[in-house]
Amino acid sequence: MIPVALKPEPAEFRTKVAKKGAAWLSKSQPAPPVKSSFWKNREYWQGEGLDLLADAYEDVCAYSARYIDPTTGARTVDHALPKSLYPYEAYSWSNLRLACLTMNRRKDNHEDVIDPCTLDRGIFTLNFITFEISIRGDCPVPLVAKANATMKRLQLNDGKMCRARANDYRDYTRDQLQVKSPFVYHCAMEQGLL
């Protein structure tokens, strides 16, 4: 996981997603219910909203920091602040994160995952032998518990994730690595391996 700069809201997002969502939510006064069925057919962040998000973030998952192939990957929209708990943020560009389906399912509506858009640089590092992520020794103490919770919740060190990072490192040239797996590239550069 690496810091993700929040991209500017595309002009089309307001008309294609935010206004539709706000209009629909305004009919749900005093407050919308938190059941998932509440959102059915009102996921305005899907479709064109997802395409705008994918374009803005160049098809890179905010949580795994890996490229999501638009044809074979499963691009999804994650709500940094879960829509079930913060329904009025559901259609806010600043609350949406591009996520691969695996990471989105693992995060679900939990709030113990560090938001990549608020992540400080240098919290996580990568072991280039095991391809496991760990917390850097100089990580500020107040962030250690949240970083551990993030790694656990997202299962960042499961076999599938470690194999994917190892394959990224082995299979790509330096330029391709930077595009396909920014986290692996960042750590390899930091450790003088490229």
Side-chain angles (χ1 to χ4, degrees):
M1 186 178 250
I2 57 175
V4 174
L6 188 63
K7 302 294 184 185
E9 181 180 307
E12 316 94 294
F13 182 82
R14 184 138 319 271
T15 56
K16 294 179 178 180
V17 178
K19 283 186 178 180
K20 289 178 184 178
W24 178 68
L25 279 173
S26 70
K27 298 174 186 174
S28 305
Q29 297 298 326
V34 295
K35 295 182 288 189
S36 59
S37 61
F38 173 76
W39 300 100
K40 188 155 179 67
N41 299 319
R42 300 297 187 271
E43 302 95 341
Y44 300 120
W45 54 82
Q46 298 291 23
E48 292 178 276
L50 177 57
D51 288 341
L52 293 170
L53 199 62
D55 288 346
Y57 291 97
E58 299 177 339
D59 290 306
V60 174
C61 173
Y63 300 102
S64 69
R66 295 191 71 242
Y67 179 75
I68 308 167
D69 187 294
T71 57
T72 59
R75 302 181 311 177
T76 67
V77 175
D78 175 64
H79 293 79
L81 297 173
K83 65 186 179 298
S84 60
L85 303 172
Y86 305 90
Y88 292 103
E89 294 297 317
Y91 302 104
S92 170
W93 175 262
S94 63
N95 189 42
L96 303 182
R97 306 290 176 262
L98 181 66
C100 65
L101 183 60
T102 298
M103 292 292 113
N104 199 344
R105 283 182 173 162
R106 290 177 180 178
K107 179 181 173 283
D108 197 29
N109 64 352
H110 301 284
E111 296 184 274
D112 56 354
V113 171
I114 295 174
D115 179 359
C117 291
T118 63
L119 179 65
D120 291 325
R121 195 164 187 77
I123 300 296
F124 299 103
T125 191
L126 184 67
N127 178 317
F128 279 90
I129 296 170
T130 64
F131 288 91
E132 291 181 334
I133 294 174
S134 61
I135 300 168
R136 291 173 53 124
D138 58 352
C139 176
V141 174
L143 294 177
V144 171
K146 187 86 170 188
N148 273 317
T150 297
M151 291 186 345
K152 183 177 179 181
R153 173 74 58 208
L154 297 179
Q155 302 171 41
L156 295 176
N157 286 329
D158 74 354
K160 187 165 107 175
M161 292 301 299
C162 291
R163 275 190 308 281
R165 288 189 288 268
N167 289 339
D168 288 343
Y169 187 65
R170 188 174 44 249
D171 294 344
Y172 293 107
T173 67
R174 179 180 175 180
D175 291 338
Q176 290 173 322
L177 182 64
Q178 187 174 8
V179 171
K180 299 290 185 181
S181 190
F183 178 74
V184 173
Y185 174 81
H186 167 78
C187 291
M189 288 294 292
E190 190 176 64
Q191 295 178 31
L193 298 174
L194 295 177

